[in-house]
Amino acid sequence: MHGEYKAPGGKLVVVDVESEGGVLRHVRVAGDFFLEPDEALAAMNRALEGAPADTDAAGLAARIDRALPAGTVMYGLTPEGVGIAVRRALAHATDWTDYDWQLIHEGPQPPALHMALDEVLTTEVATGRRPPTLRVWEWGAPAVIIGSFQSLRNEVDPEGAARHGIEVVRRISGGGAMFVEPGNTITYSLSVPESLVHGLSFQDSYAYLDDWVLGALGDMGVRAWYQPLNDIATDQGKIAGAAQKRIVGPGGGPGAVLHHVTMSYDIDADKMTEVLRIGREKLSDKGTTSAKKRVDPLRRQTGLPRTAVIDRMIDSFHARYGLAPGRITDDELARAQKLARTKFASPEWTARVP
């Protein structure tokens, strides 16, 4: 069995391993990392040999820690990363390059339809009828998107939303509220087979699925990193928030993961604070006393037009994993339009947590 894992900002770790009689056998760790002394690699292999095959990544990392020679230096590699690579091997995890990725980047759509498209397209990936898909959104109207479990009255000021013509919709994933305006926001979704994140914790899957965009931002001169659980941050402030939803496959089998991210290209901070109820606890948790300081737009950090930022992101994904132009099928669109009407635009769904 073969497993690979590249931690954000780290190097590739590759593990080949067998499971015999419930224990790990023939373990071989490799990769493009840096490690001193040379004997440390053999020590890693010996530490993993004979470990119970159901040991979690943290337990495998602890075995490695105990076995490493004194003074071992690792660069681009951690014991935890090796443990994750082992778990991915045992789970028969897939890699980004195992797939023919499809790009969907179409014209502006109403907010409720975007919510529905996420659900429909990810369900299609879960059934195997659609390849893994990167969808870049274009917004047809300003909106506040609240998380699946958020209280509507706690998050949104209805008078402020009405005054500014802001539609409120609820998505199927968890996480916090996002304020979006056409031309000021960059949003994308990844609809991927669950096997791509096999062996990763829920938290690790966030950083893993957005490692490519951190690289794209770096190429644009923005030093960004993942701030657990679901923020993309820079030394100038937060620039994006991510959320996920797992969709079960046919018959309860392996399904797909929806991972979507909203990035602030520009922002009307005054309008945002009139529409969102941003509480003191949330602000203090982010280490700031002003909502206006919480989000730092990409326009200022890159100096590039929004379309150029999107193009560079798409080019970066294509260079890493390949990406072919695609489209929403007529059947997918019809199903999404029905779902938008019956679910995502309905008061019952939007206020399901009052």
Side-chain angles (χ1 to χ4, degrees), residues 7 9-13 31-37 44 72-79:
K11 298 291 185 178
L12 181 67
V13 180
D32 59 358
F33 48 80
F34 299 92
L35 179 65
E36 294 288 348
M44 250 188 267
T72 294
V73 177
M74 297 180 171
Y75 182 76
L77 170 72
T78 64

Side-chain angles (χ1 to χ4, degrees), residues 101-106 134-138 186-190 212-213 215-217 219-220 263 306-326:
W101 289 87
Q102 186 173 110
L103 170 68
I104 292 177
H105 187 192
E106 299 188 348
L134 167 65
R135 183 170 74 92
V136 179
W137 302 21
E138 295 294 345
I186 297 173
T187 303
Y188 64 87
S189 300
L190 286 168
W212 69 276
V213 84
L217 290 170
D219 292 340
M220 288 181 266
M263 313 176 78
R306 176 180 176 275
T307 54
V309 174
I310 292 174
D311 287 344
R312 292 201 185 188
M313 289 170 56
I314 291 172
D315 289 345
S316 180
F317 193 102
H318 180 272
R320 283 186 175 216
Y321 310 126
L323 192 62

